[in-house]
């Protein structure tokens, strides 16, 4: 049976509470490092919760590969390029690695990444949905 998991992250992005990293940002490295740490911890927490509440399974690996589908939901109708949020998704995935969802997030385990726009989030936050589908 093919495994399918969905992880949802609601992230605020205000001057006071930045939680998104955009490939077009010109943010100083110290501020970006703080955000990456927060995102990595969020990714790990969500993966740990998922793994604790589901039937035990072996981590994804070169012999059990996955595709990762990322859907980005924005709080406004402002134009958005979902792929520019890759710097936000990478630390979330690194946290999932820390939690043991997969042995590593390299090309031998994650066969394909896909980014798409999911529509409006319905809140003041961005919503990032990461769907992990066994190949």
């Amino acid at each position: 049976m093919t495994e399918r998991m969905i992880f949802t992250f609601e992230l605020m992005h205000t001057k006071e509470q930045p939680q998104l990293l955009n490939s077009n940002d010109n943010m100083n490295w110290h501020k970006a490092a703080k955000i990456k740490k927060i995102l990595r911890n969020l990714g790990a927490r969500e993966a740990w919760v998922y793994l604790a509440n589901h039937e035990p399974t072996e981590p994804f690996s070169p012999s059990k590969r996955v595709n990762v589908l990322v859907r980005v939901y924005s709080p406004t109708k402002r134009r958005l390029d979902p792929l520019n949020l890759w710097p936000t998704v990478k630390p979330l995935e690194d946290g999932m690695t820390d939690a043991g969802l997969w042995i590593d997030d390299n090309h031998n385990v994650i066969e394909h990444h896909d980014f798409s726009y999911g529509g409006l989030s319905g809140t003041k936050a961005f919503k990032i949905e990461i769907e992990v589908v066994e190949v």
Side-chain angles (χ1 to χ4, degrees), residues 24 31 49-50 53 84 88 98 121:
N24 292 328
K31 188 174 181 179
V49 167
Y50 182 91
N53 290 302
N84 282 342
T88 298
D98 296 343
S121 66

Side-chain angles (χ1 to χ4, degrees), residues 63-134:
S63 61
K64 186 180 174 187
R65 300 180 73 190
V66 295
N67 288 329
V68 174
L69 313 171
V70 179
R71 279 179 289 286
V72 179
Y73 299 82
S74 63
T76 67
K77 293 181 180 180
R78 188 174 168 189
R79 194 174 62 210
L80 174 73
D81 180 351
L83 190 55
N84 282 342
L85 294 182
W86 171 245
T88 298
V89 174
K90 177 61 176 145
L92 292 170
E93 285 187 5
D94 288 340
M96 293 173 175
T97 304
D98 296 343
L101 185 65
W102 38 58
I103 61 166
D104 197 4
D105 59 347
N106 65 33
H107 72 279
N108 290 318
V109 178
I110 299 176
E111 185 174 292
H112 178 77
H113 276 95
D114 182 59
F115 280 73
S116 64
Y117 178 69
L120 293 175
S121 66
T123 69
K124 291 184 177 186
F126 281 82
K127 183 169 85 171
I128 301 205
E129 193 175 83
I130 299 176
E131 185 174 358
V132 178
V133 182
E134 185 178 358

Side-chain angles (χ1 to χ4, degrees), residues 10-20 27 31 35 38 42 124-126:
E10 289 205 14
L11 305 172
M12 292 300 296
H13 192 61
T14 63
K15 192 172 190 174
E16 302 79 33
Q17 186 182 6
Q19 292 183 318
L20 289 180
M27 186 180 294
K31 188 174 181 179
I35 296 170
I38 290 167
L42 283 172
K124 291 184 177 186
F126 281 82

